[in-house]
Amino acid sequence: MEGRALDATGAQTLDDLAGLLRALRRRHARQLGDGELTYRELATRTGWSHTAVAEYLTGKTLPPTDRLDALVRLLGATPAEQGALATARDRIEESRRRAPRAPDQMVPRQLPADVASLAGRDDELARLDKLVAAPTAVVVAAISGTAGVGKTALAVHWAHRVADRFDDGQLYVNLRGFDPGGQALSAATALRGLLDSLGVPAARVPAELDAQAALYRSVLAGRRILIVLDNARDAEQVRPLLPGTPATRVLVTSRDQLTSLVSLDGAHPLPLDLLTRDAAGDLLTNRLGVDRVAAEPEAAEAIIAACARLPLALGIAAARAQLSGFPLATLASELGTAGQRFGVLDAGDVVGEVRAVFSWSYTSLTPPAAGLFRLLGLHPGPDITVPAAASLAGLPADAARRLLTELTRANLLGEYRPGRFTAHDLLRAYATELSDDTDPEPDRRAATTRLLDHYTHTAHAADELLRPHSDPVDHLRTAPVAGVLSDRPTTHAEAMAWLTAEHPVLLAALRQATDAGFDVYVWRLGRALDTFLDRQGHWHDRVETCQAALLAAERLGDPVAQAVAHRFLAGAHTVVGHYADAHSHLDRALALYVLGGNTEGEARTHQNLASLWDRQGEPRKALEHSTRTLALSRAAGHRRAQADALNAVGWCHAQLGEHRSALAYCEQALELLQQLGDRAGEAATWDSLGFAHHHLDQYDKAVECYERTLELTRDLGDRWGEADTLSRLGDTRAALGDSTSARADWQRALDIFTALNHPDAASVRARLVLP
């Protein structure tokens, strides 16, 4: 047979056809003078699974017509042989349809093999168990989730668990909704296959889809059957396959959220998220063994992090560790290298390669959604809002929202909080890779510019609401580029809410700007975040952002920006107790301001020096600089700086025991601050007044001042200021003999200081342990 043309005329059975395919493979190898193509090589060339190829060549499965044609062409069949093999295939299919079925074949048992172990899905299994017990109506459970999250594994595992409850069998159909070949199974084809599995002769199956669906429901009526519809593309593909009898249960898996199936057909949604850290550890341990994971715990953690707790990726990584025998640290190192990660997460076939699995969801998107998905690879993370996405893509908000909804429906994004979208690290890496390969560099840079413009302009708008009378220097500000959607807050509360929600994103954006050489954005973001980071106690973040802003200002060669950055960085160092560093930066700022003839900047720097000396317990030196600030600000006519200086001078007098002088200066400061509407300065001044009244034994007045301070600091979101005032309010109430209220104030102060990891917690804790 191998030395001449293949004769397919006598092929009557599936085994005969498989024998002809194997002979064709052997002849192809001889003609090329090479070894036979392996199942894996055939799978790679065709895009089919390794298992499918094996079943075609061993006679376990009859190849579909299109696949048989592709396979025999690949193996070098002549046109005449292709036609004969196709005829033989159709003859075998027709004879199988006509063959009488034995009674035991009428009960389908089609579930794929169960997974060896399923980690971290106990809650989902319990929810599915409850659905089985539902007494009425058809119950449909829709398992949705991102590619590789384990939807099929969960569905098949649960189906095996409950198979004995369905005496009339279990049906399984892979709808190929996101098949690498791009051809989803049509509802009509799926219905014909299901009817065939239920023993319906082909001659009885009508041609129209609606009639097929009606026959299908009739055949299922009264039968207790479990139907697993795997890998559905959308609700329209699934709907004709739903039965009409309450004895059946249907389990659907899809990367799409199947929203209309839930809303119109009463399906129970079961979204599947990434594994928890513990569940991911269990999966790795189940595959590699307790001893191996315990021997390299840090490497195991790194593998879990690099795989983003995605079951598919973890399974591939575990298989690589098993097959290679390399230490886990070696695998962790490979996975930690961004350019190698997807290469490591390659199981050798299309189904097992993470990149390929993601691509099946990506290629199903509309072109605009695909474009936005790629651009999301430019976003620094960890999540994005509609205005930010609109700015990134240069789109109106409504258009961006529609595209985000499409990406969410495809489970390439998750809306984990209303209006905030995120993707796990592997999907982000895939989007970045796509953008690198697809989008021109000028387009990518323009998108990054729009994104940084969005965050920078919104952050400055928020900062101006937090501290409307702060340092006005922002000479590097420019108008947003075209396509930027500003998300401008209009109240102090909105500003705090926006900055709180965007805090990790803004830090990531600043780092991105630094890496990309966008120095103006680095300086402006660092400056805009300073007040928020200080008030919320994110002091180490504050040091990082101020250092980045200073380096950017130095690269820009801008002396004004450098002076501001030196001052802000000094303030950040002061709060964390790095006093020598703070002095160094303030000396440099002062020199730059003097050199530039900037009187206001010089005055503000002296005020910063006063605050620094006060922190170091040197009120006399602090008073010298505060007095200098007051003189400079008066000479320059800077009312805001005057008000700050008046309060600072008063505070220094109070620290020196000169409390009546302190009251005189602080009352002047308060009047000016109230005229200016500066609530932050007013809060600090009420606190100074409270301290002076306390030490004049005017405790009731002190309590009034401190309570006013607390009201303002809480409105401002100044957590350290609130705790500092609470500790002094407790002292005053203790002096009044109200120990119960005093201890309550100290405890609240301690809670905040502890949450901020601030050293002042120790002194407050000491007060609480006193009798």
Side-chain angles (χ1 to χ4, degrees):
M1 179 179 286
E2 294 176 12
R4 57 184 183 276
L6 295 179
D7 182 7
T9 57
Q12 301 296 323
T13 68
L14 187 54
D15 285 340
D16 294 339
L17 181 63
L20 290 169
L21 293 176
R22 293 194 298 272
L24 194 60
R25 183 174 63 154
R26 288 194 297 270
R27 190 184 73 180
H28 179 258
R30 275 201 321 278
Q31 290 172 344
L32 296 179
D34 201 352
E36 294 179 16
L37 290 173
T38 65
Y39 293 166
R40 189 176 303 282
E41 289 169 333
L42 287 169
T44 300
R45 295 191 185 191
T46 59
W48 308 332
S49 72
H50 175 278
T51 301
V53 172
E55 290 183 348
Y56 299 157
L57 290 172
T58 58
K60 293 181 179 178
T61 300
L62 182 67
T65 301
D66 58 339
R67 289 199 170 190
L68 178 70
D69 292 343
L71 182 59
V72 297
R73 283 197 302 270
L74 177 62
L75 295 176
T78 66
E81 289 171 338
Q82 292 175 32
L85 287 165
T87 299
R89 181 229 171 263
D90 293 342
R91 184 170 58 245
I92 293 166
E93 182 180 48
E94 183 62 27
S95 66
R96 293 175 74 190
R97 286 181 178 175
R98 290 197 305 267
R101 297 179 180 272
D104 62 341
Q105 290 181 309
M106 298 302 103
V107 179
R109 309 288 185 189
Q110 297 183 338
L111 295 178
D114 195 3
V115 294
S117 61
L118 189 72
R121 300 304 187 194
D122 292 345
D123 290 346
E124 289 83 359
L125 290 169
R127 288 179 62 186
L128 289 170
D129 286 342
K130 289 181 180 178
L131 294 179
V132 172
T136 59
V138 177
V139 175
V140 181
I143 302 175
S144 63
T146 191
V149 82
K151 301 179 293 295
T152 298
L154 172 64
V156 170
H157 181 74
W158 178 78
H160 276 283
R161 258 188 20 166
V162 299
D164 59 349
R165 306 186 196 183
F166 296 91
D167 300 333
D168 294 315
Q170 306 87 42
L171 294 169
Y172 173 87
V173 183
N174 182 358
L175 295 174
R176 301 205 306 264
F178 298 88
D179 189 81
Q183 287 294 321
L185 199 68
S186 69
T189 302
L191 270 173
R192 287 196 297 271
L194 288 166
L195 288 168
D196 185 52
S197 299
L198 292 166
V200 178
R204 284 188 55 202
V205 179
E208 296 79 16
L209 177 61
D210 289 346
Q212 290 174 3
L215 175 60
Y216 170 68
R217 290 192 294 270
S218 298
V219 173
L220 287 174
R223 301 176 69 172
R224 190 162 181 79
I225 288 182
L226 173 64
I227 304 170
V228 179
L229 303 176
D230 195 16
N231 197 18
R233 186 176 187 86
D234 50 37
E236 286 67 30
Q237 187 189 25
V238 170
R239 193 167 282 117
L241 310 180
L242 299 180
T245 172
T248 57
R249 295 291 183 268
V250 182
L251 195 55
V252 185
T253 75
S254 179
R255 298 183 195 182
D256 188 271
Q257 291 183 339
L258 302 176
T259 305
S260 69
L261 200 68
V262 173
S263 60
L264 299 180
D265 300 277
H268 298 265
L270 190 66
L272 208 57
D273 203 350
L274 299 173
L275 294 174
T276 64
R277 161 59 196 83
D278 289 344
D282 290 342
L283 187 154
L284 208 59
T285 300
N286 292 341
R287 294 289 299 272
L288 300 179
V290 175
D291 293 342
R292 189 168 183 189
V293 173
E296 297 185 77
E298 292 182 0
E301 289 292 337
I303 291 170
I304 290 169
C307 292
R309 295 178 281 116
L310 187 71
L312 172 64
L314 283 166
I316 295 174
R320 181 172 175 83
Q322 289 173 306
L323 294 170
S324 69
F326 294 156
L328 297 187
T330 301
L331 178 60
S333 177
E334 292 176 339
L335 288 169
T337 304
Q340 297 182 17
R341 184 173 300 178
F342 283 117
V344 175
L345 296 176
D346 183 351
D349 57 53
V350 176
V351 175
E353 184 186 354
V354 173
R355 182 194 286 110
V357 172
F358 289 164
S359 74
W360 306 340
S361 293
Y362 170 72
T363 55
S364 73
L365 299 171
T366 61
L372 177 58
F373 178 71
R374 293 195 305 273
L375 289 181
L376 289 174
L378 304 177
H379 187 267
D383 55 14
I384 192 168
T385 61
V386 173
S391 299
L392 178 66
L395 294 171
D398 289 346
R401 186 182 296 279
R402 285 194 297 271
L403 297 182
L404 289 169
T405 299
E406 181 178 344
L407 292 172
T408 302
R409 213 167 43 234
N411 276 297
L412 289 169
L413 284 182
E415 190 175 8
Y416 75 104
R417 280 169 45 198
R420 302 197 73 85
F421 300 83
T422 188
H424 62 70
D425 289 348
L426 285 175
L427 275 172
R428 287 167 50 77
Y430 177 61
T432 302
E433 183 181 87
L434 285 174
S435 184
D436 288 342
D437 294 343
T438 306
D439 300 321
E441 180 56 29
D443 292 352
R444 289 158 46 80
R445 192 166 182 86
T448 301
T449 300
R450 289 193 300 269
L451 184 72
L452 292 173
D453 245 355
H454 163 78
Y455 285 125
T456 302
H457 280 273
T458 310
H460 268 270
D463 182 59
E464 288 170 353
L465 289 166
L466 262 58
R467 185 85 175 188
H469 302 281
S470 63
D471 190 336
V473 176
D474 191 8
H475 64 295
L476 297 179
R477 179 182 298 196
T478 56
V481 297
V484 173
L485 182 62
S486 181
D487 190 17
R488 294 181 67 89
T490 57
T491 65
H492 183 280
E494 288 179 0
M496 282 298 296
W498 187 86
L499 287 164
T500 300
E502 300 290 353
H503 170 212
V505 182
L506 293 168
L507 294 181
L510 186 143
R511 296 178 190 120
Q512 179 187 36
T514 300
D515 294 340
F518 288 89
D519 286 327
V520 170
Y521 290 111
V522 177
W523 184 84
R524 295 195 64 229
L525 270 175
R527 182 190 176 282
L529 290 173
D530 189 72
T531 300
F532 169 76
L533 295 176
D534 181 45
R535 288 184 183 173
Q536 289 291 289
H538 301 299
W539 294 307
H540 293 288
D541 287 346
R542 186 185 179 199
V543 171
E544 177 190 343
T545 58
C546 289
Q547 284 176 332
L550 176 58
L551 292 173
E554 290 173 345
R555 288 191 294 269
L556 290 168
D558 188 316
V560 176
Q562 290 174 43
V564 173
H566 275 297
R567 279 204 312 107
F568 280 32
L569 182 53
H573 279 307
T574 298
V575 173
V576 297
H578 299 164
Y579 299 135
D581 290 332
H583 276 292
S584 175
H585 285 293
L586 287 175
D587 288 344
R588 183 66 184 134
L590 192 59
L592 286 166
Y593 282 130
V594 171
L595 183 63
N598 189 327
T599 305
E600 182 179 2
E602 185 181 349
R604 291 180 181 277
T605 307
H606 278 291
Q607 188 54 61
N608 294 141
L609 284 164
S611 177
L612 177 55
W613 283 118
D614 177 58
R615 289 268 187 159
Q616 293 178 269
E618 296 280 358
R620 189 70 62 186
K621 292 181 179 179
L623 180 59
E624 291 175 9
H625 285 286
S626 294
T627 302
R628 178 65 176 151
T629 299
L630 184 56
L632 285 168
S633 58
R634 279 175 171 166
H638 297 307
R639 299 179 73 214
R640 174 65 182 78
Q642 288 179 55
D644 272 349
L646 285 166
N647 177 49
V649 170
W651 174 257
C652 292
H653 279 296
Q655 298 303 301
L656 291 167
E658 301 161 0
H659 301 297
R660 296 200 178 278
S661 295
L663 289 176
Y665 279 102
C666 291
E667 285 167 356
Q668 292 181 62
L670 184 62
E671 182 180 357
L672 184 52
L673 288 163
Q674 288 174 335
Q675 291 174 10
L676 293 168
D678 185 349
R679 295 192 303 153
E682 189 180 340
T685 305
W686 279 116
D687 184 74
S688 301
L689 287 167
F691 184 86
H693 282 302
H694 174 99
H695 287 84
L696 288 170
D697 298 335
Q698 298 168 352
Y699 300 127
D700 289 334
K701 287 186 177 180
V703 168
E704 291 177 9
C705 293
Y706 285 141
E707 287 180 339
R708 181 62 179 142
T709 303
L710 283 176
E711 180 183 340
L712 289 165
T713 53
R714 285 168 178 160
D715 285 346
L716 293 167
D718 185 353
R719 299 185 70 204
W720 179 85
E722 179 184 353
D724 187 53
T725 300
L726 279 168
S727 67
R728 281 198 281 277
L729 178 58
D731 295 342
T732 301
R733 284 181 166 148
L736 281 168
D738 186 355
S739 60
T740 300
S741 297
R743 294 184 67 81
D745 292 331
W746 289 331
Q747 185 60 57
R748 287 197 295 273
L750 178 61
D751 291 343
I752 296 173
F753 282 139
T754 301
L756 295 175
N757 194 27
H758 195 278
D760 285 356
S763 62
V764 178
R765 189 177 293 109
R767 294 176 188 143
L768 284 166
V769 301
L770 292 173

